[in-house]
Amino acid sequence: MSKFGLIGDPIATSLSPVLFNAGYSGELEYDLIEGNDFDASWKRFLDGYDGINVTAPFKEKAFRKAELFTPYCRKIGASNLIVKTPDGLLADNSDFTGIICSIAEAYFPGIVAEFCGTYGDRAHIKVHQFFRQMTGRIFPQKPQALIVGCGGAGRAAAVAAAELGFDTALMNRTAEKAQRIADELPEYNFIVDPVTDFKPALKECELVIYTLPMKLDAIDSLTNEDFAGENPSAGPAKVILEANYKTPSFSGAVIDRLNAAGCRYVSGRDWLLYQAVTGYRRLTGRQPDCGAMSEAISRA
């Protein structure tokens, strides 16, 4: 029987097994391979599994272990999915496709389910193409995105936002890390903003993707006006997508102000769902049941 799993640390409360079991009705095995020793976890994968998902803090290490790469995974330089193939270890990045779908769903509710039903495992490609075609119609000028955090998920978010047509700024607690991404991917013309400019940058941008595992102090001081943006009457409402679904930084009174301003908050659970929907077929070779996965994560 084929075996799959997730490596990372900590992952004891991960919802990935719930999604995987729902997607395949429990017919395939999926384990948590938890531990802070990457080499030990990697050996377990090589010895007993057909493919793995990878989460923090191992996405960049897993990428460096692979032998084959999908195009966007190579650009991102981090992998959340490794699968054994006859030609070697293939690295992919379904964080990228999960972000594409999450953003598109925020602007066009229902698009992911519709395109999954129509296009199957090519749905994320069609969603990507559709959004690019619609960018000029839904925004009065070229939209701007802010990526906060430049780890593996942040790199995927940066490439995804740029590919969707956003002018994209990178922000990290260590500015040198953000600058390194900008230098490595000159085709996207990324700019680097200091973390001290978080509040004005958030107000200015139409899309914010927050990938840091902790809360910046400035988040608690954000106002309705910051969430509404510089010109709230022009174009769609601001969208904020957060990776961390366990202990989100946008919560409580901050969410109340965000909602009052008409801003749209996209939970990391949506990102998790869409990266699983788009990634599990690559992992297993079988199309998962997207509807069952959506129902499972709504109950979890």
Side-chain angles (χ1 to χ4, degrees):
M1 180 179 180
S2 298
K3 288 180 65 176
F4 305 92
L6 170 69
I7 68 171
D9 183 61
I11 56 174
T13 59
S14 171
L15 294 178
S16 292
V18 173
L19 286 169
F20 191 91
N21 290 332
Y24 297 107
S25 302
E27 296 173 1
L28 299 176
E29 186 174 343
Y30 191 93
D31 299 328
L32 294 179
I33 309 170
E34 186 170 18
N36 60 12
D37 185 333
F38 172 75
D39 290 331
S41 295
W42 187 259
K43 186 176 186 305
R44 287 184 61 188
F45 156 56
L46 293 178
D47 290 345
Y49 294 83
D50 298 275
I52 52 166
N53 288 127
V54 185
T55 191
F58 298 146
K59 293 179 182 181
E60 290 168 277
K61 290 183 177 179
F63 175 86
R64 291 193 290 269
K65 290 280 193 179
E67 298 152 321
L68 307 168
F69 308 88
T70 59
Y72 286 119
C73 185
R74 188 180 292 279
K75 278 179 175 285
I76 293 163
S79 174
N80 73 329
L81 191 160
I82 303 286
V83 62
K84 294 176 181 176
T85 78
D87 299 316
L89 296 175
L90 172 68
D92 201 349
N93 194 303
S94 61
D95 278 337
F96 170 83
T97 51
I99 294 163
I100 294 284
C101 291
S102 296
I103 294 170
E105 184 71 17
Y107 289 100
F108 300 99
I111 188 174
V112 176
E114 178 185 346
F115 277 38
C116 280
T118 303
Y119 301 108
D121 63 334
R122 300 185 71 248
H124 63 281
I125 298 172
K126 294 297 185 179
V127 167
H128 185 177
Q129 293 171 344
F130 175 82
F131 194 96
R132 283 299 298 256
Q133 292 168 358
M134 295 298 293
T135 301
R137 302 183 190 182
I138 61 177
F139 296 103
Q141 57 191 18
K142 190 168 185 182
Q144 300 179 79
L146 173 67
I147 311 302
V148 187
C150 291
R155 291 179 67 102
V159 174
E163 283 288 332
L164 285 173
F166 290 82
D167 281 338
T168 303
L170 311 180
M171 181 177 289
N172 196 62
R173 290 169 297 164
T174 304
E176 291 79 9
K177 191 170 186 178
Q179 187 61 56
R180 186 161 61 248
I181 296 173
D183 293 342
E184 290 171 356
L185 297 168
E187 63 268 34
Y188 293 125
N189 296 311
F190 292 136
I191 64 171
V192 175
D193 279 347
V195 73
T196 52
D197 284 352
F198 171 72
K199 189 172 181 178
L202 179 141
K203 184 174 183 178
E204 181 180 8
C205 291
E206 286 81 8
L207 170 67
V208 178
I209 305 180
Y210 192 90
T211 72
L212 291 176
M214 77 292 295
K215 180 192 290 188
L216 292 177
D217 292 340
I219 288 178
D220 285 331
S221 68
L222 292 170
T223 66
N224 293 33
E225 291 75 20
D226 294 323
F227 287 121
E230 293 188 329
N231 192 0
S233 62
K238 187 187 306 294
V239 170
I240 294 179
L241 168 60
E242 181 172 11
N244 185 354
Y245 63 87
K246 298 175 185 176
T247 55
S249 296
F250 291 83
S251 59
V254 176
I255 285 289
D256 292 340
R257 293 193 292 273
L258 182 155
N259 289 332
C263 181
R264 284 172 288 184
Y265 176 77
V266 182
S267 166
R269 286 182 174 230
D270 294 304
W271 183 345
L272 178 68
L273 171 63
Y274 294 135
Q275 69 85 14
V277 166
T278 58
Y280 284 169
R281 190 182 191 283
R282 170 76 75 179
L283 194 66
T284 68
R286 292 173 52 180
Q287 185 69 18
D289 185 332
C290 303
M293 292 167 69
S294 181
E295 290 180 13
I297 201 168
S298 70
R299 296 193 303 265

